[in-house]
Amino acid sequence: VQLAESGGGLVQAGGSLRLSCVASGSTYQINAMGWYRQAPGKERELVASISSGRSTKYADSLRGRFTISRDEAKNTLYLQMNSLKPEDTAVYYCQARVVVSIEGSLDVWGQGTQVTVSS
């Protein structure tokens, strides 16, 4: 499985962006997917995740501003980000939980896309 993000960029505070992540390869092995972000000098943190059953989970601080969705027909994961703040500036990574056997799974990561929010 390979992941490719797009949609990042520079936006003013209060603006919106939609990130996309296209999965390729053995996509039938993908279970849950998610978005993570990493700001300079900080650890990578969960933004939102979505299971194969479309159950979603959000970081408490982002709930209500960010929406995660998944189009399985297009093998694409989305993150709609509204009311962006300067503190949302980070590299955003797409993640997929890939089932590799009955015993286990592994995480696959995209290369990341930069989101910069100016004040």
Side-chain angles (χ1 to χ4, degrees):
V1 172
Q2 296 80 42
L3 304 173
E5 304 100 331
S6 63
L10 174 64
V11 63
Q12 289 188 333
S16 298
L17 282 175
R18 188 176 80 156
L19 305 183
S20 299
C21 171
V22 178
S24 60
S26 302
T27 57
Y28 62 91
Q29 293 179 285
I30 294 175
N31 188 351
M33 298 187 75
W35 289 99
Y36 287 72
R37 69 183 185 183
Q38 187 167 19
K42 295 188 177 181
E43 294 186 353
R44 190 173 297 189
E45 62 176 357
L46 173 70
V47 173
S49 64
I50 184 167
S51 70
S52 57
R54 310 236 171 169
S55 175
T56 59
K57 177 181 178 181
Y58 294 91
D60 288 342
S61 62
L62 302 177
R63 192 183 302 274
R65 294 195 298 122
F66 289 14
T67 303
I68 190 171
S69 61
R70 184 174 174 181
D71 187 335
E72 294 184 356
K74 295 182 178 180
N75 292 319
T76 302
L77 180 72
Y78 301 100
L79 183 68
Q80 178 67 44
M81 305 185 293
N82 299 327
S83 302
L84 283 162
K85 304 175 181 180
E87 51 264 43
D88 294 319
T89 295
V91 178
Y92 284 71
Y93 296 92
C94 177
Q95 171 258 351
R97 179 65 54 86
V98 179
V99 178
V100 295
S101 69
I102 295 176
E103 291 85 16
S105 59
L106 58 83
D107 289 337
V108 175
W109 296 89
Q111 81 286 353
T113 186
Q114 176 70 47
V115 171
T116 302
V117 184
S118 63
S119 57

